[in-house]
Amino acid sequence: MRGALGEAIVAALPVALVYFSGWAYLTSYLGEFGIDATQIDVSFTTVLVYAFVPLKAWYILLMLLVIVALVLAALLFELHSDDQHKGRKTTASALESLAAVAVVILLFAIKSAAGGAAKEMAHDVWKGFKSQSVAMLGDAKVNADAVALYDACRHERRLRQIIGLPNQLFLLCRSNVDPCNRGTLFVVNNEGRIIYIADKIREDIDDEGTICTT
């Protein structure tokens, strides 16, 4: 029973870690723009794609190697243990405990790496380094004021994509006065209709006088 439970945990752990990594990155990145990730429909595959952003950090890869080594060592001691070698069972249990502690530490490390990577990506959006994205709108008579503001942003080439989902496109219109710190968030659905608009101020105000791209 104990062996079967251990095998199930070992089999499910990689998928759980990858999913946690992707979700940690997405929540941190969207949070940079005041977007609650729990209120949008993000597919499982999308989360997995973004998971590799924090996972590629060198210290995350090193910790993964250490955990794999601990698990393999524990399995070897477990396989070669019997009633005459109780010390091997004790060693196996100790290695399993170390692996469990390492996994907990890894979760915090992944969360930290995801937060750092998310800030860098959000920085690129605010600075205007990301490519311009334009969603074609449908009936301009609906939400005329929002459409007028959107069109002004489009004509002045101030729109930057935050994230694109199957049913929604999140765009940031950078302010023409303070483009590095202020902007307007547009959410456009797959029918070309603006369903949400909000003024946004960057959480970490850039007061270093860095020149922004337009």
Side-chain angles (χ1 to χ4, degrees), residues 40-54:
I40 62 177
D41 185 16
V42 182
S43 66
F44 182 77
T45 53
T46 300
V47 175
L48 294 185
V49 168
Y50 283 105
F52 294 96
V53 177

Side-chain angles (χ1 to χ4, degrees), residues 25-149:
Y25 174 78
L26 276 175
T27 53
S28 297
Y29 174 61
L30 295 176
E32 292 288 322
F33 302 96
I35 303 171
D36 186 356
T38 61
Q39 296 181 350
I40 62 177
D41 185 16
V42 182
S43 66
F44 182 77
T45 53
T46 300
V47 175
L48 294 185
V49 168
Y50 283 105
F52 294 96
V53 177
L55 285 179
K56 66 184 181 182
W58 68 268
Y59 58 93
I60 299 296
L61 295 175
L62 180 60
M63 292 184 68
L64 287 172
L65 288 175
V66 170
I67 292 172
V68 170
L70 288 172
V71 172
L72 289 177
L75 289 175
L76 288 175
F77 276 102
E78 188 74 29
L79 289 174
H80 293 85
S81 65
D82 50 36
D83 293 338
Q84 296 179 346
H85 299 86
K86 294 183 179 180
R88 293 180 179 177
K89 286 188 176 181
T90 302
T91 302
S93 298
L95 291 172
E96 290 172 359
S97 299
L98 284 175
V101 172
V103 169
V104 174
I105 297 174
L106 177 63
L107 294 178
F108 286 100
I110 289 175
K111 180 63 177 176
S112 176
K119 282 186 177 295
E120 290 182 7
M121 183 61 70
H123 177 83
D124 288 344
V125 176
W126 282 108
K127 295 292 185 182
F129 297 149
K130 289 198 70 175
S131 60
Q132 300 182 42
S133 298
V134 177
M136 301 307 296
L137 301 183
D139 189 358
K141 296 180 181 179
V142 181
N143 298 329
D145 292 338
V147 172
L149 178 58

Side-chain angles (χ1 to χ4, degrees), residues 124-202:
D124 288 344
V125 176
W126 282 108
K127 295 292 185 182
F129 297 149
K130 289 198 70 175
S131 60
Q132 300 182 42
S133 298
V134 177
M136 301 307 296
L137 301 183
D139 189 358
K141 296 180 181 179
V142 181
N143 298 329
D145 292 338
V147 172
L149 178 58
Y150 179 89
D151 286 338
C153 292
R154 178 170 60 85
H155 288 306
E156 296 172 9
R157 304 176 65 83
R158 291 188 281 120
L159 289 172
R160 296 296 185 276
Q161 179 175 309
I162 297 174
I163 189 172
L165 301 174
N167 298 322
Q168 294 175 333
L169 182 63
F170 290 77
L171 299 171
L172 178 71
C173 172
R174 301 166 66 232
S175 169
N176 55 2
V177 177
D178 188 11
C180 284
N181 299 306
R182 300 175 185 274
T184 302
L185 171 67
F186 291 97
V187 182
V188 184
N189 65 10
N190 55 0
E191 298 176 352
R193 184 164 56 89
I194 298 174
I195 60 175
Y196 182 78
I197 181 173
D199 292 329
K200 295 295 178 182
I201 300 177
R202 189 175 180 180

